[in-house]
């Protein structure tokens, strides 16, 4: 049996359970949720499959250990105790990414420098010379996480974070990260077999991620991974990834359902169009000008409406009263569409009451530093004789572990 590696995949706060579900589907073993991510076991080919296919993970880390690290000298000694010669050679480049929480050190740059010094000093002692540092495109990325006086050290298998799929060539203000958009789609039960609409699509992230799901396209198909350049695993990783990529391309499917994005802003639609084309989804995703409070007729048969309305900083004048009026009109528009389930990512506490409907489910998530709530609303029934489009979920859809509202009523 192939040796399994103990790994940790990071994710946006509030999406850890969704990532755990996804990792199970991708073949990971001994899965355990943790704050900010999921721990799991995987052989090398399984770990590479996660790198290629995970839509929700941000990074996939190979932990090297946890250490007590009191003071600058304690930090240096802890790092120097790691057998770096097993992971690095003098012919590769590396970089250190340090993040801190409640520590005696004021700056992450200082911690990163001490970690770097300890690594190069040990390698110079063991190998006779030291590798070079490349902060832009290193062969090996070392991740140092210091909480109080507890230091965790890991190697990053992916390099460039997984949410950077490569299609965002034209951003708009405050876009959703790609992995959060994918997590919202999973929470809403989207599998690519029902129609999808985002009435405020912005730069198009939600409809693009929906298109990738519907197309059954691996989100990492167009990129390389740092592990392919690791000195001791790189050759084997390249061989395995070549096979995994070939299988992924063979198994893509045609999109049989409409995927639609609307926005009032010409600038947003231009950005979305550029991004959709960069994602090679020009035939699958359709964009059009539209006001979310006065949507044009949508395809018959219903499906999923998923959107991320403004939180309050891009609505112009009117303040919170104007926000509530907008949310009220949005509720009237979106809840009057037979067969369409509505899911909304809200970053404004006023949204839920102004939308004037009871959600069937809710989930607390973080959009970067912003605490948000994902709210799901039941679809009004279809007219008699109508049929849902393809495999659209019905009212019995389970969205565990999203907690139901008003369970005592």
């Amino acid at each position: 049996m192939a040796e399994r590696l103990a790994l940790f995949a990071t994710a946006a706060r509030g999406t850890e359970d969704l990532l755990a579900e996804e990792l199970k589907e991708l073949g990971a073993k001994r899965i355990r949720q943790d704050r900010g991510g999921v721990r799991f076991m995987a052989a090398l080919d399984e770990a590479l499959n996660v790198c290629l296919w995970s839509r929700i993970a941000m990074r996939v880390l190979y932990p090297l250990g946890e250490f007590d690290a009191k003071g600058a000298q304690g930090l240096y000694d802890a790092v120097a105790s790691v057998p770096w010669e097993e992971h690095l050679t003098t012919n590769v480049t590396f970089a250190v990414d340090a993040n801190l929480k409640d520590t005696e050190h004021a700056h992450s740059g200082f911690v990163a420098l001490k970690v770097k010094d300890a690594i190069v000093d040990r390698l110079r002692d063991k190998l006779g010379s030291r590798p070079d540092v490349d902060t832009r495109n290193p062969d090996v990325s070392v991740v140092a996480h210091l909480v109080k006086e507890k230091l965790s050290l890991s190697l990053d298998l992916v390099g460039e974070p997984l949410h950077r799929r490569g299609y965002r060539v034209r951003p708009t203000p405050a876009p959703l990260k790609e992995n959060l958009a994918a997590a919202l789609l999973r929470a809403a039960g989207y599998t690519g077999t029902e129609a999808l609409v985002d009435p405020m699509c912005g730069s198009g992230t939600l409809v693009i991620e929906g298109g990738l799901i519907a197309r059954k396209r691996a989100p990492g198909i167009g990129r390389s991974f740092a592990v392919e350049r690791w000195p001791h695993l790189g050759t084997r990783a390249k061989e395995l990834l070549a096979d995994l990529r070939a299988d992924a391309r063979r198994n893509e499917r045609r999109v049989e359902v409409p995927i639609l994005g609307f926005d009032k802003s010409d600038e947003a639609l231009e950005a979305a169009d550029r991004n959709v084309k960069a994602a090679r989804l020009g035939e699958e995703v359709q964009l059009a000008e539209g006001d979310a409070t006065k949507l044009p007729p949508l395809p018959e048969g219903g499906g999923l409406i998923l959107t991320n309305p403004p939180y309050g900083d891009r609505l112009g004048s009117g303040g919170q009263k104007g926000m509530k009026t907008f949310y009220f009109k949005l509720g009237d528009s979106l809840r009057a569409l037979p067969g369409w389930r509505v899911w909304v990512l809200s970053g404004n506490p006023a949204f839920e009451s102004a939308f004037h409907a009871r959600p069937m489910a809710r989930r607390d998530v973080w959009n970067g530093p912003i605490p948000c709530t994902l709210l799901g609303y039941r679809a009004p029934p279809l007219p008699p004789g109508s049929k849902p489009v393809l495999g659209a979920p019905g009212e019995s859809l389970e969205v565990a572990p999203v907690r139901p509202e008003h369970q005592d009523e």
Side-chain angles (χ1 to χ4, degrees):
M1 180 180 293
E3 178 186 1
R4 293 192 182 275
L5 308 173
L7 302 172
F8 181 70
T10 67
R13 285 175 58 185
T15 68
E16 295 92 343
D17 59 305
L18 300 171
L19 176 57
E21 293 173 4
E22 181 185 63
L23 290 173
K24 183 177 180 180
E25 293 171 3
L26 294 174
K29 308 297 181 185
R30 294 174 62 182
I31 297 166
R32 180 166 60 87
Q33 292 180 48
D34 206 339
R35 182 181 175 85
V38 178
R39 300 187 184 278
F40 65 102
M41 300 288 291
L44 180 59
D45 60 335
E46 296 165 337
L48 295 173
N49 197 50
V50 168
C51 293
L52 183 65
W53 276 101
S54 179
R55 303 182 190 279
I56 301 174
M58 183 83 72
R59 285 178 164 178
V60 180
L61 304 178
Y62 175 40
L64 300 177
E66 293 187 352
F67 312 86
D68 293 323
K70 181 176 176 59
Q73 188 61 46
L75 177 64
Y76 178 95
D77 292 342
V79 179
S81 69
V82 175
W84 295 104
E85 63 275 9
E86 296 179 4
H87 308 290
L88 296 165
T89 69
T90 59
N91 297 321
V92 302
T93 60
F94 80 101
V96 178
D97 179 15
N99 50 82
L100 320 178
K101 183 179 180 181
D102 301 329
T103 76
E104 59 190 304
H105 306 290
H107 301 291
S108 60
F110 171 79
V111 172
L113 181 62
K114 296 300 289 185
V115 173
K116 184 268 293 181
D117 288 346
I119 293 173
V120 299
D121 288 350
R122 173 161 181 136
L123 290 174
R124 187 184 290 116
D125 179 58
K126 295 292 184 180
L127 304 178
S129 61
R130 52 158 286 180
D132 291 329
V133 172
D134 182 347
T135 57
R136 291 191 174 186
N137 188 31
D139 297 318
V140 180
S141 296
V142 178
V143 178
H145 185 55
L146 185 62
V147 180
K148 296 183 179 178
E149 296 177 355
K150 185 68 67 175
L151 174 68
S152 300
L153 292 169
S154 305
L155 301 181
D156 184 0
L157 275 73
V158 300
E160 189 84 359
L162 290 176
H163 77 272
R164 295 177 185 169
R165 318 275 205 235
Y167 62 71
R168 182 169 284 165
V169 296
R170 180 72 73 83
T172 55
L176 281 178
K177 284 186 176 178
E178 296 87 332
N179 64 318
L180 177 57
L184 301 180
L185 285 159
R186 175 177 277 263
Y190 186 74
T191 62
T193 59
E194 62 177 319
L196 172 66
V197 172
D198 181 356
M200 290 170 282
C201 68
S203 60
T205 308
L206 281 167
V207 288
I208 291 173
E209 289 298 314
L212 294 176
I213 293 170
R215 193 78 170 87
K216 207 173 182 181
R217 179 177 294 158
I221 195 69
R223 57 164 291 167
S224 61
F225 302 100
V227 67
E228 297 179 75
R229 304 198 299 274
W230 286 11
H232 305 303
L233 285 180
T235 300
R236 181 58 178 151
K238 284 183 179 180
E239 295 171 350
L240 291 170
L241 276 166
D243 291 338
L244 291 171
R245 291 184 179 113
D247 286 343
R249 291 188 177 99
R250 281 194 297 268
N251 290 323
E252 287 192 14
R253 65 187 178 189
R254 290 190 57 180
V255 176
E256 304 287 351
V257 293
I259 300 175
L260 309 175
F262 298 96
D263 206 284
K264 290 174 61 176
S265 165
D266 291 339
E267 182 180 353
L269 287 173
E270 181 183 352
D273 183 64
R274 292 271 306 270
N275 296 336
V276 165
K277 289 175 179 175
R280 298 183 292 119
L281 292 171
E283 295 183 1
E284 291 83 1
V285 176
Q286 306 301 314
L287 303 170
E289 183 178 356
D291 184 340
T293 64
K294 302 173 185 177
L295 279 178
L298 298 183
E300 294 183 1
L304 171 65
I305 293 174
L306 175 61
T307 196
N308 176 35
Y311 301 163
D313 55 346
R314 288 181 287 148
L315 281 178
S317 61
Q320 190 73 337
K321 182 177 180 180
M323 290 289 296
K324 291 181 178 180
T325 300
F326 171 74
Y327 293 150
F328 185 89
K329 292 179 179 179
L330 186 67
D332 277 351
S333 172
L334 300 187
R335 292 183 298 100
L337 301 170
W340 289 91
R341 298 178 294 119
V342 175
W343 287 71
V344 180
L345 181 65
S346 167
N348 187 323
F351 175 86
E352 190 171 349
S353 60
F355 197 72
H356 62 99
R358 289 181 176 178
M360 67 173 180
R362 63 190 300 122
R363 170 185 292 270
D364 295 328
V365 298
W366 287 75
N367 181 7
I370 304 172
C372 297
T373 306
L374 178 64
L375 301 164
Y377 299 88
R378 296 187 185 278
L382 288 166
S386 300
K387 294 183 179 180
V389 176
L390 295 181
E395 290 299 327
S396 62
L397 172 69
E398 295 183 2
V399 203
V402 179
R403 68 179 183 274
E405 274 288 274
H406 311 290
Q407 57 186 356
D408 295 330
E409 296 183 9

